[in-house]
Amino acid sequence: MDLTFFLATAAGLVRDADRPSNKVDIAYLYYLPFCTVFTSKDRLHKNLAPLFLHSMQNFISGDEMKADLARLNARYSALPKETKLKGMMNFASEPPDDESFLTTRMWDK
């Protein structure tokens, strides 16, 4: 990953190469082999993570994930109080069967 960072900097994929947090940001990419979905709002991650993902992995922008989670929260918050009192695992152990949710599409994949 470190070599990739230096090459990406030279290629212009990484702006602000001197920014101290870039070293920390690049370290997060070491988690890629262990996940199926990687989400971040960081520009460095948006530029570099897709270069290392295989076909069964996805990069999702942090804004897109946040919006989807807000929609899920609204859906579950609208349920009757009696349903919610039974506990989340009783009504939301899996994402809703609704392909309009990003979470559902990732779960199904």
Side-chain angles (χ1 to χ4, degrees), residues 72-85 91-92:
L72 282 172
N73 185 51
R75 178 186 181 115
Y76 293 132
S77 293
L79 291 173
K81 184 177 180 178
E82 300 78 35
T83 302
K84 292 188 278 189
L85 286 173
F91 63 86

Side-chain angles (χ1 to χ4, degrees), residues 45-59:
H45 293 152
K46 288 178 187 178
N47 289 334
L48 296 183
L51 300 173
F52 296 98
L53 299 176
H54 60 73
S55 63
M56 291 303 292
Q57 291 179 301
N58 292 284
F59 177 83

Side-chain angles (χ1 to χ4, degrees), residues 1 21-33 38 45:
M1 292 296 168
S21 65
N22 277 337
K23 294 283 187 190
V24 174
D25 293 340
I26 200 77
Y28 279 99
L29 297 179
Y30 283 101
Y31 289 108
L32 286 175
F38 187 85
H45 293 152

Side-chain angles (χ1 to χ4, degrees), residues 31-100:
Y31 289 108
L32 286 175
F34 309 105
C35 65
T36 54
V37 175
F38 187 85
T39 186
S40 176
K41 290 177 73 170
D42 189 272
R43 184 176 53 227
L44 183 126
H45 293 152
K46 288 178 187 178
N47 289 334
L48 296 183
L51 300 173
F52 296 98
L53 299 176
H54 60 73
S55 63
M56 291 303 292
Q57 291 179 301
N58 292 284
F59 177 83
I60 300 171
S61 77
D63 291 331
E64 189 178 5
M65 178 62 84
K66 187 175 180 177
D68 193 62
L69 293 175
R71 286 185 58 225
L72 282 172
N73 185 51
R75 178 186 181 115
Y76 293 132
S77 293
L79 291 173
K81 184 177 180 178
E82 300 78 35
T83 302
K84 292 188 278 189
L85 286 173
K86 294 178 184 176
M88 194 119 179
M89 291 307 293
N90 287 307
F91 63 86
S93 61
E94 295 181 358
D97 188 20
D98 180 346
E99 289 285 318
S100 72

